[in-house]
Amino acid sequence: MSKRRVLVVTHDKWPQAMAASREAVTELERAGFAVSHHDDALAERFGDADTVVRLDEAVGECEVVVVLGGDGTILRAAELTHGTQVPILGVNLGHVGFLAESEREELSEAVQRVVERDYTVEERAVVSVTVTRPNSPEPLSGWALNEATIEKRPRQRLIEVGIEVNRRPLSSFGCDGIIMATATGSTAHAFSAGGPVLWPDVEGVLVVPLAAHALFARPLVVGPTSAVRVTVLERSPLPAVLTCDGRRTIDLPVGSTVEVRPSAQPLLFARLTTAPFTDRLVSKFSLPVRGWRQAAAEAGE
């Protein structure tokens, strides 16, 4: 009978992460697992999703990928599991750790839950990203779990963009950039830029302009069957750059187009609790669920 397999993803140059990794690997191996290790400093490039070199070519044979780190490390793990049926289990060693399921002090319990297969699997929507550049014979394809962001590369001046939904013109303006996010990414870069929080079961694409010089430049959400297309217009004084999940980038010369649409292939996350998303928001953002009047009344009792 072959051994059960687990891939552990962490950052080799972070002492706290390496200590947690040694602890997790020891417990997993003691339970009979074959454990592989991957350093999240390695990354794929935009358009390389089908040819990315993995530490373990049999990642698809793993039961789960255990991630020790922050959301950035989880996004690296997503590069490894994208296109497979392997779920990600995140143990937060960073700050907010919105994508993580457990905290550092819960590591031993999380490992035991993996050993006992005591977890559920949740699907998180992904967007597919297609880039067409002038003088390039073929479009390039990528994807994002959180967001695809178009931004100006030099600091001076703005980029001029045109936005279409389902190939119908919507608006054009000068701006610092455009964020196109999933529901998962609505609590990341898009949230910092003033976009709304979307519950994970909301399908579609959230569009958030960055410092737009326009009257109609509010965040909007398009439906799950729609595609958002952004063009770096010919009149733009600057080229742009596309970044997916803060990791995979590609230059966008003037005249380039980026089309973002919901993907039919989700990413999988292992969940140790059935707590609703509302509770996760309250916990991760330390939201005040008790008003000062209620707190004062309880203190006087």
Side-chain angles (χ1 to χ4, degrees), residues 3 22 47 49 55 117 119 132 141 167 169-171 174 197 213 234 255 297 299:
K3 282 191 172 184
R22 287 191 294 269
L55 176 72
R117 294 189 175 95
Y119 57 85
T132 304
S141 298
R167 299 298 178 96
L170 179 66
S171 188
V197 172
H213 286 214
E234 294 291 345

Side-chain angles (χ1 to χ4, degrees), residues 185-218:
S186 71
T187 57
H189 191 183
F191 179 76
S192 299
V197 172
L198 304 182
W199 259 237
D201 59 353
V202 175
E203 300 180 17
V205 179
L206 168 61
V207 182
V208 182
L210 298 174
H213 286 214
L215 292 177
F216 184 76
R218 299 296 184 185

Side-chain angles (χ1 to χ4, degrees), residues 55-73:
L55 176 72
D56 185 352
E57 292 296 333
V59 63
E61 299 176 5
C62 293
E63 288 187 20
V64 67
V65 172
V66 177
V67 183
L68 307 173
D71 284 345
T73 308

Side-chain angles (χ1 to χ4, degrees), residues 151-169:
E151 295 179 281
K152 61 181 184 179
R153 185 177 285 279
R155 293 177 59 86
Q156 58 272 49
R157 307 183 72 177
L158 303 173
I159 53 173
E160 294 281 344
V161 300
I163 301 178
E164 301 170 70
V165 176
N166 295 332
R167 299 298 178 96
R168 299 297 301 169

Side-chain angles (χ1 to χ4, degrees), residues 46 127-131 142-151 177-182 189 205-208 230 241-246 248 258-260:
F46 184 90
V127 290
S128 61
V129 184
T130 304
V131 174
W143 61 278
L145 170 63
N146 270 356
E147 73 279 308
T149 303
I150 299 171
E151 295 179 281
I178 300 284
I179 301 172
M180 292 163 284
T182 64
H189 191 183
V205 179
L206 168 61
V207 182
V208 182
V230 178
V241 61
L242 171 72
T243 305
C244 290
D245 290 338
R248 303 174 297 279
V258 177
E259 187 168 271
V260 174

Side-chain angles (χ1 to χ4, degrees), residues 289-301:
V289 294
R290 296 165 66 245
W292 70 269
R293 290 179 182 274
Q294 178 185 358
E298 291 175 353
E301 293 177 354

Side-chain angles (χ1 to χ4, degrees), residues 119-135:
Y119 57 85
T120 59
V121 177
E122 175 184 89
E123 293 185 352
R124 284 298 181 102
V126 171
V127 290
S128 61
V129 184
T130 304
V131 174
T132 304
R133 300 188 292 181
N135 304 319

